[in-house]
Amino acid sequence: MARRALKLASLAAATTGVYLYGNEFLDPNDFGVVRVGRAIATTAVITYDYLTSLRSVPYGSEEYDVLKSQVHLRSAERLRELCCANRGTFIKVGQHLGALDYLLPEEYTRTLKVLHSQAPQSTRQEVEQVIREDLGKEIKELFASFEDTPLGAASLAQVHKAVLQDGRTVAVKVQHPKVQAQSSKDILLMEVLLLVVKQIFPDFEFMWLVEEAKKNLPLELDFLNEGRNAEKVAHMLKDFDFLKVPRIYWELSTRRVLLMEFMEGGQVNDRAYMKRNGIDVNEISRNLGKLYSEMIFVNGFVHCDPHPGNVLVKKCPASGKAHIILLDHGLYQDVEIRSNAAAYLPQITQLLNNVPRQMLLLLKTNDLLRGIESALHTRASASSFLNMSRCCIRAVSTYQRSKNRSLYRRAQISLTEALSLWQINLYELFLWLKGSRLGNWVVALLSWMHHSTH
């Protein structure tokens, strides 16, 4: 089996080379022998490790489980090193893998999560090159000032703070220069290598990762699409006065450069920041639940990357209200669950590999929100679940009314909706009383009265 693995790995290299050479849309010289060779070698070593390390140990034994965990960890570390070395698309896919707690062993998710903080940075010269090519002007012509050190760097781009010649402070998102050219070739390379792994391990069921990358990466690499998403979600959720979405400056935006209104604040999971600035963590938790429940169940247009770096909070000096600032609008999902939520419920009991990809993104989003609540110590209030329940009831009732022409039946649906929402409000009041000082006094009084009568 080990020889077969290495033969297939070699075949993968040859197949990749032939395919790229014969494809007029792909330039093999852009890949580089080192880049391709590194990916093939890593895949071969990981495959060989799994084939040889576990074959002499009885399946299902305690020793087998220990060895399997060690192989998982070694393989995850090799995969992380590959992602860091090849950068770009590899880091993006690695970050996605690190978020798949529902599907991957814990050794993989724990190891790959660090890729969020190990994204590459483009040099000043590379940033200048992209801006010059896309906007036709030098940085000093466009901006009165431009900070060299990025505010943040991700797998596909980085963001700089700048001031326009008219005095407006902006955030400038600049794509890493080589990502656009390499992304399609990287995905092709991954597809070939995963097909080889599938031949060796027939139960390997992660080809969908490549399909997801094929579909989503072109959208994320088009910053004009991100700008349109930002404006769309701002319009959809305009009734939420606590939500702030940066304004897009279209006259200075292209597919690789996006100029936005500059907004700053503390990360949404930074409890210490909120305490220093007098921000109510329970209010933030409730509003965050309202925001995502509305996106998922009412609008069906969901921001799919709510990690703390993309969700900021800030107290408005004028009004004293706490604002939630939503950043990075590159990837949204149109979620069918909006119009037919119940249809997915039976599938949740099946293997997660069979769950629709949109649902996996929702589960990932749910995990990130639960993590934020945990960091803020607001989970006991159950506010996000209550808000989600409200949005579910509203969405289902709206759908049912749209399918009924009878005025009586529609009135009946509306009454049921009102009663259900009232029950949720009552339960929320109960939870608030239970957790408040007044509630503790009432419980203590009732307990004292109970004991005094006995």
Side-chain angles (χ1 to χ4, degrees), residues 194-237:
L194 287 178
L195 283 171
V196 172
V197 172
K198 176 73 173 173
Q199 291 297 313
I200 302 171
F201 302 106
D203 293 334
F204 183 82
E205 296 292 348
F206 285 89
M207 290 305 299
W208 60 269
L209 275 172
V210 175
E211 296 305 318
E212 283 295 296
K214 281 182 181 178
K215 181 180 72 173
N216 292 331
L217 263 176
L219 296 175
E220 293 188 79
L221 288 170
D222 182 0
F223 289 174
L224 295 178
N225 175 68
E226 178 176 344
R228 290 190 292 268
N229 285 343
E231 291 195 342
K232 182 175 179 179
V233 79
H235 176 72
M236 280 182 167
L237 302 174

Side-chain angles (χ1 to χ4, degrees), residues 66 68-77 79-80 94-118:
V66 171
K68 183 173 70 171
S69 177
Q70 292 172 354
V71 178
H72 284 338
L73 185 59
R74 287 197 300 269
S75 301
E77 289 171 346
L79 194 57
R80 181 192 63 203
Q95 290 172 340
H96 187 45
L97 288 171
L100 294 179
D101 300 281
Y102 294 95
L103 291 176
L104 291 181
E106 186 265 345
E107 294 87 353
Y108 276 92
T109 56
R110 184 181 70 243
T111 303
L112 295 175
K113 281 184 191 299
V114 302
L115 290 174
H116 281 288
S117 59
Q118 292 185 358

Side-chain angles (χ1 to χ4, degrees), residues 259-317:
L259 252 72
M260 303 164 281
E261 176 185 4
F262 177 75
M263 291 185 173
E264 60 183 341
Q267 291 194 354
V268 73
N269 63 343
D270 190 343
R271 187 180 175 91
Y273 169 86
M274 295 190 204
K275 186 176 181 180
R276 288 196 307 272
N277 290 275
I279 297 173
D280 184 350
V281 293
N282 290 296
E283 179 187 358
I284 292 296
S285 184
R286 283 195 303 272
N287 287 341
L288 198 61
K290 287 179 184 177
L291 179 63
Y292 272 87
S293 295
E294 192 81 12
M295 282 194 280
I296 292 170
F297 295 105
V298 178
N299 294 314
F301 188 67
V302 186
H303 181 281
C304 288
D305 199 14
H307 71 76
N310 288 339
V311 187
L312 307 181
V313 293
K314 186 176 183 180
K315 192 169 187 176
C316 176

Side-chain angles (χ1 to χ4, degrees), residues 35 38 79-99 111-122 153-157 176 179 182-183 186-187 190 209 213 217 220 305 364:
R35 186 180 182 82
R38 188 187 291 126
L79 194 57
R80 181 192 63 203
E81 290 169 5
L82 170 64
C83 292
C84 291
N86 276 7
R87 302 173 50 168
T89 308
F90 280 82
I91 284 187
K92 187 69 180 178
V93 172
Q95 290 172 340
H96 187 45
L97 288 171
T111 303
L112 295 175
K113 281 184 191 299
V114 302
L115 290 174
H116 281 288
S117 59
Q118 292 185 358
Q121 289 189 13
S122 293
S155 55
L156 305 181
H176 298 315
V179 169
Q182 290 174 340
S183 61
D186 285 344
I187 293 171
M190 292 178 198
L209 275 172
L217 263 176
E220 293 188 79
D305 199 14
K364 170 191 171 186

Side-chain angles (χ1 to χ4, degrees), residues 302-349:
V302 186
H303 181 281
C304 288
D305 199 14
H307 71 76
N310 288 339
V311 187
L312 307 181
V313 293
K314 186 176 183 180
K315 192 169 187 176
C316 176
S319 65
K321 289 184 177 180
H323 291 157
I324 293 178
I325 302 168
L326 198 58
L327 306 176
D328 196 346
H329 302 269
L331 184 58
Y332 275 73
Q333 279 287 351
D334 295 320
V335 190
E336 296 172 15
I337 197 170
R338 171 174 64 99
S339 60
N340 197 7
Y344 286 111
L345 296 181
Q347 296 182 38
I348 296 176
T349 61

